[in-house]
Amino acid sequence: MTSMPQQLLRRKPIPREGEDTHGPKLSRSIGLFSLTMIGVGGTVGTGIFFILSEAVPTAGPAVIISFLIAGVVAGLTALCYAELAGSVPVSGSSYSYAYTTLGEMPAMGVAACLLLEYGVSTAAVAVGWSQYVNQLFHNLFGFELPAALSNAPEEGGIINLPAVILIALCALLLIRGTKESVITNTIMVVIKLVVLVFFAAIAFTGWNADHFANFAPFGFAGIMSGAGIIFFSFVGLDAVSTAGEEAKNPKRNLPLALIFALVIVTGIYVLVAMAGLGAQAPEQFKDQSAGLSAIIEHLVGASWPGTLVAAGAVISIFSVTLVVLYGQTRILFAMSKDGMMPKVFQKVNPRTMTPIPNTIIVAIATGILAGVIPINFLAEMTSIGTLAAFIVVSLGVIILRRREPDLERGFKVPGGYVIPVLSILGCLWIITNLQLITIAVFAVWTALFLLYYFFYARKRSALAQPGAFSQEVAS
């Protein structure tokens, strides 16, 4: 009989390429281009279409530096993700990576981070979507949805109905099938990139260098606070690794998709942030809904550019919500296969090859969050979950290199341990600049989730069941 420490630190064996040792299977139908589009689709839109109104009042024009800091930290971590994704090509993202490197209880701590990260992020971007829906309705039809039906209770409303509808639509698309969802996402990503380049081209015609005169009004602390708010917009990079079980040639394609997505995301973020700040004074960003549309409408003096950007944002944020909702369901799928979640989360429909009950449950939970919680709190809660998961991924690279030096890797982070260590330090740095209430809520959530593991999931773990894995379990 295994001791308690052995149970808490037991590790899942690393499957060989093309091998999944237990549980239901998902179809490998996602190629390199589509994987890259998952990364871009889950990221661009979340940070750019509405986060400027949250981050600029905190950092001022120096929000550009905030974006670069968040991008550098995310970039360091993306390289670590690329190495682990090419070494452990399964669903579950950093949860699965932690399970194979750190052990079962640490993996459940990471799972708490991921469930918070994906669940809250889905709600956050859905709330932002409703702002642009109202802007589009106003420009096209001359009316907006009543405040009672488009705001959270804390903001004077009853429910954010557009946000709830968006999550329901994404869930229906995911239920139809992964291939259909991936094709839809790719089309929407191309549209959003075209719209953002269009915005930048128009905004640069109104460039005013005076907007950058008081570059960092809140000092370095403001820059770091801005980076903390922005960081949740890089969650889409993690979403690439949640597709490990559905990716074609995962050891090659997962690392490449992560790197390609990072380059595209960071480039478009900085471009649009610079264009927006050049066209509008920093003090005008505060509490501004549908910010990008408002900027070019004011600049051009006509509604049609803003209408085009609003339409692009509606499409863009739809794709973000689709990807993040997808990632949440795949993490729960992987956890259910491992015995960490009830079996309902691993039930796969034989016709669509998708986990339909799982998708419905996630949609209901995130729909409730999106309907009643304001966006500013949702954004910071997503950031801390993302940062904690990123720390574990970077630590996992170091541990797996020492434990499995001969393991086949589709990509290896250059520079020895320098990049993983810098990634860990960068994430910790940003966490220290988040609000204390955010850190406190995160700590309570993680503690409650670990109690769930200790009293429920630990005894139901697949590693505790004889013959669940074809390989010998590490202890």
Side-chain angles (χ1 to χ4, degrees):
M1 184 175 179
T2 56
S3 65
M4 180 64 70
Q6 287 177 316
Q7 290 180 33
L8 301 181
L9 298 177
R10 54 194 172 197
R11 302 191 310 273
K12 197 165 65 170
I14 300 172
R16 305 306 172 194
E17 185 172 1
E19 174 185 64
D20 185 24
T21 55
H22 70 296
K25 308 295 189 293
L26 298 172
S27 173
R28 291 198 179 274
S29 59
I30 308 177
L32 174 59
F33 180 72
S34 296
L35 283 171
T36 303
M37 291 301 98
I38 285 176
V40 177
T43 308
V44 174
T46 313
I48 262 318
F49 277 103
F50 66 87
I51 202 62
L52 286 177
S53 63
E54 299 290 332
V56 173
T58 298
V63 73
I64 294 171
I65 307 300
S66 300
F67 270 109
L68 288 173
I69 290 173
V72 167
V73 174
L76 294 172
T77 312
L79 293 175
C80 297
Y81 263 105
E83 178 167 328
L84 286 185
S87 308
V88 190
V90 295
S91 289
S93 181
S94 45
Y95 156 76
S96 294
Y97 304 153
Y99 212 160
T100 60
T101 57
L102 302 176
E104 190 169 277
M105 190 175 75
M108 288 298 284
V110 175
C113 300
L114 291 174
L115 294 179
L116 180 70
E117 170 190 335
Y118 278 89
V120 177
S121 179
T122 301
V125 295
V127 172
W129 187 76
S130 71
Q131 296 176 6
Y132 279 95
V133 167
N134 256 342
Q135 178 76 21
L136 190 61
F137 281 176
H138 176 75
N139 287 4
L140 290 177
F141 309 115
F143 76 90
E144 296 183 4
L145 294 172
L149 297 180
S150 56
N151 288 291
E154 188 177 312
E155 298 171 327
I158 298 173
I159 187 171
N160 194 323
L161 188 59
V164 176
I165 292 173
L166 171 62
I167 290 173
L169 291 174
C170 290
L172 289 173
L173 185 56
L174 288 172
I175 286 170
R176 282 186 59 84
T178 300
K179 185 176 181 180
E180 292 84 351
S181 300
V182 167
I183 292 172
T184 302
N185 175 67
T186 299
I187 293 170
M188 289 191 289
V189 168
V190 172
I191 292 172
K192 84 166 76 175
L193 293 179
V194 169
V195 168
L196 286 170
V197 171
F198 167 80
F199 165 81
I202 297 292
F204 274 124
T205 65
W207 180 270
N208 186 345
D210 291 342
H211 294 167
F212 296 88
N214 187 13
F215 188 68
F218 308 106
F220 191 67
I223 293 173
M224 291 308 300
S225 294
I229 294 171
I230 288 165
F231 203 82
F232 95 105
S233 61
F234 286 90
V235 64
L237 298 175
D238 180 272
V240 175
S241 62
T242 66
E245 196 170 316
E246 294 165 279
K248 298 176 182 177
N249 192 8
K251 283 188 178 292
R252 170 187 175 272
N253 288 342
L254 286 173
L256 287 176
L258 280 159
I259 294 168
F260 292 161
L262 172 69
V263 172
I264 295 170
V265 164
T266 306
I268 203 73
Y269 275 8
V270 173
L271 173 70
V272 174
M274 288 186 66
L277 282 162
Q280 177 174 276
E283 58 270 16
Q284 294 178 326
F285 281 89
K286 186 174 177 59
D287 298 325
Q288 187 177 49
S289 296
L292 300 191
S293 293
I295 289 171
I296 59 172
E297 280 188 14
H298 177 74
L299 183 65
V300 176
S303 63
W304 69 265
T307 302
L308 185 59
V309 171
V314 168
I315 294 170
S316 170
I317 299 173
F318 189 108
S319 78
V320 176
T321 310
L322 179 68
V323 169
V324 179
L325 192 67
Y326 165 85
Q328 177 80 296
T329 61
R330 271 35 180 192
I331 290 166
L332 288 167
F333 175 82
M335 292 178 68
S336 180
K337 285 175 45 171
D338 293 337
M340 300 291 105
M341 281 287 170
K343 290 184 179 180
V344 66
F345 289 101
Q346 64 175 294
K347 290 183 178 179
V348 175
N349 184 280
R351 183 178 63 84
T352 64
M353 295 301 292
T354 58
I356 291 179
N358 179 343
T359 305
I360 293 172
I361 293 170
V362 171
I364 292 172
T366 54
I368 292 171
L369 286 177
V372 300
I373 298 180
I375 193 170
N376 57 347
F377 184 72
L378 290 171
E380 278 218 5
M381 289 309 302
T382 305
S383 287
I384 193 169
T386 305
L387 286 160
F390 280 11
I391 288 172
V392 172
V393 168
S394 303
L395 185 61
V397 168
I398 297 172
I399 293 173
L400 198 60
R401 281 190 186 179
R402 296 182 66 85
R403 186 175 289 151
E404 301 272 357
D406 299 324
L407 180 69
E408 181 185 351
R409 291 168 169 83
F411 171 81
K412 190 170 184 179
V413 177
Y417 297 132
V418 174
I419 288 178
V421 170
L422 287 176
S423 173
I424 293 169
L425 294 176
C427 291
L428 289 172
W429 188 20
I430 295 177
I431 286 175
T432 60
N433 286 275
L434 295 176
Q435 296 182 66
L436 287 177
I437 183 63
T438 302
I439 297 172
V441 171
F442 172 74
V444 171
W445 160 254
T446 304
L448 290 174
F449 199 80
L450 288 176
L451 286 175
Y452 158 81
Y453 161 70
F454 191 84
F455 290 107
Y456 177 84
R458 178 175 57 90
K459 299 176 183 178
R460 292 166 175 79
S461 169
L463 293 182
Q465 315 305 318
F469 289 88
S470 60
Q471 302 175 22
E472 183 179 349
V473 174
S475 60

